[in-house]
Amino acid sequence: QKYHNDSVLERHSISEGLNLCARNPELDWLKSFDNVEDRKYVENYITEAILATDPARHATIVKEALAFVEEGPKAYDSVTSESLSESVELTQFDRANLKHRLFIGRLFLHSADISNPLHASFDVARDWAVRVTTEFSRQASKEKELSLEVTSYMDGLDSEYNIAKVQISFFAFMVQPLFDVVGKLFPNLSHLNDWGEANCDGYREVIAACEKERGEG
């Protein structure tokens, strides 16, 4: 009820982080911002970036990024800085545009949040998958214990086979579309989906081995 069922985990993290700063001067790194408006800006930036990690906001993030690719800076009401000569061509992002800054912060934090399938090492990607699915399984178990509605995608992740299947779907439906756009905006990151594809091949091998062991292959 406190967060009106809107991005509850994310809002709780934001609230706890800011409360820690308020309660403990030694942890209050925000005190370095003497100007009240600067501090408010930073707090809002952090809040919006963390809220962007809510899976429910994924489609919106991808849509915004696609608009940037297709329409350029005008997608975020970019205006040429008056301090720049008209002969100077702006880069895709305008550092003076606060909307651009916030867009990049939201995009990068959300991308980092779901990037575990993109590691160059399959062993590392697989290890992160186990860690994440273990957390999911614990949440599903707690929801059952409290007679709450169980988050469907967090339930049943109790075997290598199921984890591998979920990781392939996760890459195909969430990670790959997002990083296709990220690669267009930031070409130096365009190789990441290739690593994701390679890791999916690794998961397919896991699935095949499990099915062979079961006698399904």
Side-chain angles (χ1 to χ4, degrees):
Q1 292 182 352
K2 182 177 180 180
Y3 303 115
H4 306 290
N5 204 31
D6 176 34
S7 302
V8 175
L9 295 178
E10 293 76 19
R11 292 187 185 280
H12 176 71
S13 297
I14 295 163
S15 176
E16 285 300 299
L18 294 178
N19 284 339
L20 278 173
C21 288
R23 293 196 303 265
N24 190 333
E26 292 184 3
L27 298 177
D28 187 15
W29 60 273
L30 288 168
K31 65 185 177 184
S32 60
F33 297 96
D34 297 326
N35 185 293
V36 174
E37 290 304 313
D38 287 345
R39 179 167 178 142
K40 285 183 179 179
Y41 170 77
V42 173
E43 289 182 359
N44 179 69
Y45 191 97
I46 292 170
T47 297
E48 290 301 317
I50 293 175
L51 288 176
T53 65
D54 182 353
R57 299 174 188 243
H58 173 78
T60 299
I61 299 291
V62 174
K63 184 178 179 180
E64 290 176 358
L66 280 170
F68 221 113
V69 169
E70 294 169 359
E71 302 175 30
K74 68 179 182 179
Y76 266 72
D77 301 322
S78 177
V79 292
T80 303
S81 172
E82 293 179 358
S83 63
L84 294 175
S85 166
E86 291 183 2
S87 63
V88 175
E89 183 178 352
L90 286 175
T91 55
Q92 187 143 27
F93 295 106
D94 180 359
R95 66 184 301 172
N97 189 309
L98 298 183
K99 290 184 179 180
H100 286 198
R101 291 184 179 187
L102 184 56
F103 166 73
I104 292 173
R106 294 170 68 239
L107 177 66
F108 271 23
L109 192 57
H110 177 52
S111 298
D113 190 47
I114 65 171
S115 66
N116 72 281
L118 303 178
H119 201 281
S121 165
F122 175 61
D123 289 338
V124 174
R126 189 177 182 182
D127 180 63
W128 273 108
V130 170
R131 293 170 185 265
V132 171
T133 52
T134 297
E135 179 184 333
F136 287 171
S137 294
R138 288 174 178 170
Q139 178 174 325
S141 296
K142 194 65 176 179
E143 289 170 341
K144 291 176 183 177
E145 180 185 326
L146 297 174
S147 299
L148 298 173
E149 182 179 352
V150 178
T151 307
S152 58
Y153 71 87
M154 294 187 178
D155 197 20
L157 302 175
D158 52 2
S159 68
E160 279 192 309
Y161 180 84
N162 288 342
I163 291 173
K165 297 277 279 189
V166 165
Q167 285 300 299
I168 291 172
S169 296
F170 179 53
F171 174 74
F173 293 106
M174 285 194 72
V175 180
Q176 189 173 39
L178 176 62
F179 278 85
D180 275 344
V181 187
V182 169
K184 291 175 182 176
L185 289 172
F186 305 95
N188 287 342
L189 301 178
S190 60
H191 64 283
L192 293 177
N193 266 342
D194 293 336
W195 290 349
E197 290 281 8
N199 289 331
C200 283
D201 288 339
Y203 285 122
R204 292 185 186 99
E205 291 179 7
V206 171
I207 291 170
C210 291
E211 290 178 344
K212 183 177 181 180
E213 188 175 332
R214 295 175 181 176
E216 298 176 10

